[in-house]
Amino acid sequence: MLTVAVLISGTGSNLRALLDAARRPDFPARIVVVGADRDAEGLAHAEEFGIPTFTAPFRAFADRDAWGEELGRQLEAWNPDLVVLSGLMRLLPASLVARYSPRIVNTHPAYLPEFPGAHGVRDALAAGAVQTGASVIVVDDGIDSGPILAQERIPVLEGDTEQTLHERIKPVERRLLIDVVRRIATGELALTP
Ligand code: GAR
């Protein structure tokens, strides 16, 4: 059974979908801990499922490295086989990426390498893109630049706002993320840095 730690910053709707999937007896992975860089709303989903949580508030640390050390310390206690960034809106320090690489994956609301970074949906709209997408990647030292594990195109519709487009992207992200975790767990998908 693959053990998974999930890191979030926000509402955790994708985390919720992963928690639902992982609860099914035939799913080959289990979520062992959920962490956040702030007092994230999404931690409540983990609590509801009886999954341990932790918060490593970014602002409480002197710099990214000190924050990363605390995150690493918390993760270490659970010794996860895989770390999933599900809406973590901060870059991990290189030392932490190196610790888990290539066993860290990230979900992103755009068709990478198009529109990387914190505002993938907004940037696609601002660029006038007629289609965008959802991607699941391996995390490397760059910004959303690691190997692509799964992705799918999603059309931008006339009148789309950042919110309507993002809400159409998220269900696709969820499906891709759950499938990637499943395929990593079964060995169908091999991770390479
Ligand atoms: C998701 O769309 C995820 O891809 C995005 O944050 C959202 C989190 O939603 N992450 C990034 O943009 C990372 N660059 P959720 O909290 O409802 O799961």
Side-chain angles (χ1 to χ4, degrees):
M1 187 65 73
L2 187 89
T3 57
V4 181
V6 184
L7 299 178
I8 63 168
S9 296
T11 56
S13 65
N14 291 350
L15 160 70
R16 171 102 201 175
L18 194 55
L19 285 164
D20 275 328
R23 188 159 60 175
R24 284 180 227 131
D26 60 340
F27 196 75
R30 287 286 170 267
I31 299 175
V32 292
V33 67
V34 176
D37 64 324
R38 66 185 73 165
D39 190 13
E41 205 183 316
L43 290 173
H45 296 302
E47 283 154 17
E48 193 185 319
F49 278 70
I51 308 284
T53 63
F54 69 85
T55 305
F58 184 80
R59 290 179 200 290
F61 295 87
D63 54 29
R64 188 174 306 279
D65 285 331
W67 171 69
E69 269 175 40
E70 170 63 9
L71 262 187
R73 204 179 58 74
Q74 296 273 4
L75 290 173
E76 197 90 9
W78 298 94
N79 193 26
D81 300 317
L82 180 72
V83 178
V84 171
L85 310 187
S86 184
L88 181 75
M89 299 308 284
R90 294 201 186 271
L91 285 181
L92 294 176
S95 54
L96 190 59
V97 173
R99 164 74 183 80
Y100 284 98
S101 175
R103 297 175 299 115
I104 312 189
V105 302
N106 183 30
T107 163
H108 185 74
Y111 198 86
L112 292 169
E114 298 168 8
F115 311 117
H119 304 291
V121 183
R122 190 183 305 173
D123 293 347
L125 279 175
V130 294
Q131 54 178 0
T132 181
S135 306
V136 180
I137 61 168
V138 173
V139 175
D140 68 4
D141 281 346
I143 298 177
D144 298 321
S145 54
I148 293 164
L149 299 172
Q151 61 185 168
E152 200 169 301
R153 281 288 186 192
I154 294 154
V156 177
L157 303 181
E158 185 112 12
D160 255 340
T161 62
E162 185 175 352
Q163 197 191 347
T164 60
L165 181 55
H166 205 166
E167 287 311 314
R168 266 204 337 284
I169 291 171
K170 280 187 182 185
V172 179
E173 279 189 78
R174 288 171 198 144
R175 177 163 44 73
L176 295 180
L177 177 63
I178 291 165
D179 193 51
V180 161
V181 172
R182 186 189 59 73
R183 288 191 291 133
I184 292 170
T186 59
E188 251 173 274
L189 185 59
L191 297 178
T192 49

